[in-house]
Structure formats: structure tokens, C-alpha cells
Amino acid sequence: MVARGLLAVALATGVFASAVGVVAAKHESRQAFIDQQQALSQRDVLNLEWTQLQIEQSTWATQGRVEEQARERLDMIQPDSDRIVVIGGRSWAR
């Protein structure tokens, strides 16, 4: 009789411990899913920002804008055609 009582207590303890383990595993699984979703959301935000920065960079680097800034900020001008010297490919050879 005592042995059956001890066996019942041991089995009940095992079942309870197993249930606690299942609950803990499920909680960890949900927490990992939440972390993954947050990381994916952050990735999407960063991808959008990266795309916007690439567009901004290409806008700032256009030939027309560079020429405009050279004229306005640096007071550079296009030289007259008689002041432009074209060097042939042979003159650079050694």
C-alpha cells in the first residue's frame, strides 16, 4: 500500500514537472518568435533607410548638381575652347 502511494506521488511529481517543462518550452518558443518578428521589422526599416540613402546619394552625385556646386561654391567656370588642350594617347606612352 505504501509502495503504491509512493509510486502515485512519484508519477504525479513527474507529470507536474513535465507540465512545467512544456509551459517553459512554449514560453521560450513564443519569446523567440517575438524576437524574430522584431528583428524582421528592424530589417525592413533599415532596408527602407538604405534605399532612401542610395537615392539621395545618386541625387547628390548627378553631373548637373556637381557642375552647379562647382560654379556656385567654388566659382569655377568652363574654360574657353581655345584654352582646352587635348593630349593624344601616344603622348602618355613611355
Side-chain angles (χ1 to χ4, degrees):
M1 191 72 146
V2 174
R4 275 191 175 185
L6 287 176
L7 181 61
V9 169
L11 287 176
T13 304
V15 169
F16 181 74
S18 177
V20 170
V22 168
V23 169
K26 188 68 170 177
H27 174 72
E28 288 178 15
S29 173
R30 287 181 179 162
Q31 190 62 44
F33 180 76
I34 290 169
D35 292 344
Q36 178 194 22
Q37 292 302 311
Q38 288 174 343
L40 290 175
S41 177
Q42 184 180 13
R43 181 201 62 184
D44 293 342
V45 168
L46 291 173
N47 277 336
L48 178 62
E49 183 179 355
W50 173 249
T51 302
Q52 290 172 342
L53 288 171
Q54 286 179 317
I55 292 170
E56 184 179 348
Q57 180 185 20
S58 66
T59 301
W60 285 88
T62 60
Q63 182 69 25
R65 186 169 192 300
V66 170
E67 287 183 16
E68 176 187 340
Q69 293 298 311
R71 285 190 185 97
E72 290 178 6
R73 289 183 166 188
L74 303 174
D75 295 325
M76 297 178 84
I77 59 169
Q78 180 78 28
D80 296 329
S81 59
D82 59 334
R83 296 190 60 161
I84 298 175
V85 177
V86 178
I87 301 174
R90 285 276 184 206
S91 63
W92 288 97
R94 292 185 182 200

